Amino acid sequence: MAREVAHVWWAMLAFAVLVLVVVSGLWIYAMLRPPRVLGADQARRINLRWIIGGGIVLPTASIVALLAFGIPAGRGMLPLPVDGEQPLRIEVTGHQWWWEVRYPDSGVVTANQLILPVGRPLDIEVTSADVIHSFWVPRLGGKLDMIPGRRNTLRLQASEAGVFRGQCAEFCGSQHAHMILHVEALEAGAFEGWLDARAALDHPPAAGTAGQVFAERCGQCHRVAGVSVGNRAPDLSDLATRPTLGAGVIANDSAGLRRWLREHQSLKHGIAMPSHDDLSDATLGQLADWLETLEPTTKQEQTRP
Ligand SMILES: [Cu+2]
């Protein structure tokens, strides 16, 4: 779909360049030619010819040509029925300032990352929990507004595996620029494996102080499969597998995670997560140690004899 949109864009650019060249040529010709004296009738006829040609015929022809290419390109992004395969439904909800991603048929929930199968039509159902956001993955297709109280559906299909960048494309507040979506298209088998591993997630709670702090303060908003059921903030069940924290603010490595837990309000000012100034470095360190275990393999390794 993105390829067709790009073709239309390049055709429009070529045509606009042609118009610019012709208009500039006419202008230079008009400046340089010797003056000609016209009678009133003759002048009116020439005026009329330019108004009809340049003001009616040219725009009509241009718009018809644009629609002839634009409508089929736009149709490719409509959620129309497809023969054979059922499109995969994925729900993406915009929040200030992060992305909630749900796979309703398998109950899998993740955040700030959208994992897709290659070669299968996808119906991305977008909405918003607060203000208007816009879903945009330029390499995969057009953008679609995410409007509170409405569900818009965008049909996408990734033609090859790879990592793409998604970005909120509608100004949604001070951290709008820090609303990046990591999009990854996997081959069909790898995608099924990814989904099954997420569906099976069931973590044990953190031990000691970290467990207590998480239950009292974090679990009210964050869900971790098997531990907490909060649903106002990003689901953390597979946090350790995500490439970034804060929807693209810093890399999700050991140092980044510790820095995020301490400095999230200065790294991404205005987010809903309250400051942790009253927690000691030791406590945050233990919390980070446990958060780093939140990946699909945890349980299997722990239950292994
Ligand atoms: Cu935005």
Side-chain angles (χ1 to χ4, degrees), residues 95-97 99 131-134 167-173 175-179:
H95 294 259
Q96 282 175 313
W97 296 274
W99 306 85
V131 300
I132 299 176
H133 302 272
S134 183
Q167 170 73 50
C168 178
E170 182 71 45
F171 182 71
C172 58
Q175 296 295 342
H176 163 63
H178 286 149
M179 198 167 155

Side-chain angles (χ1 to χ4, degrees), residues 6 49 63 82 127 129 183 212 243 265:
R49 205 184 297 155
I63 290 168
V82 271
T127 188
V183 181
Q212 201 184 329
Q265 278 295 349

Side-chain angles (χ1 to χ4, degrees), residues 175 249 258-277 284:
Q175 296 295 342
V249 173
R258 279 155 183 79
R259 191 162 165 225
W260 175 255
L261 289 179
R262 176 58 76 203
E263 300 173 27
H264 54 277
Q265 278 295 349
S266 55
L267 288 165
K268 193 171 180 179
H269 183 70
I271 59 171
M273 182 156 71
S275 155
H276 299 151
D277 284 350
L284 286 182

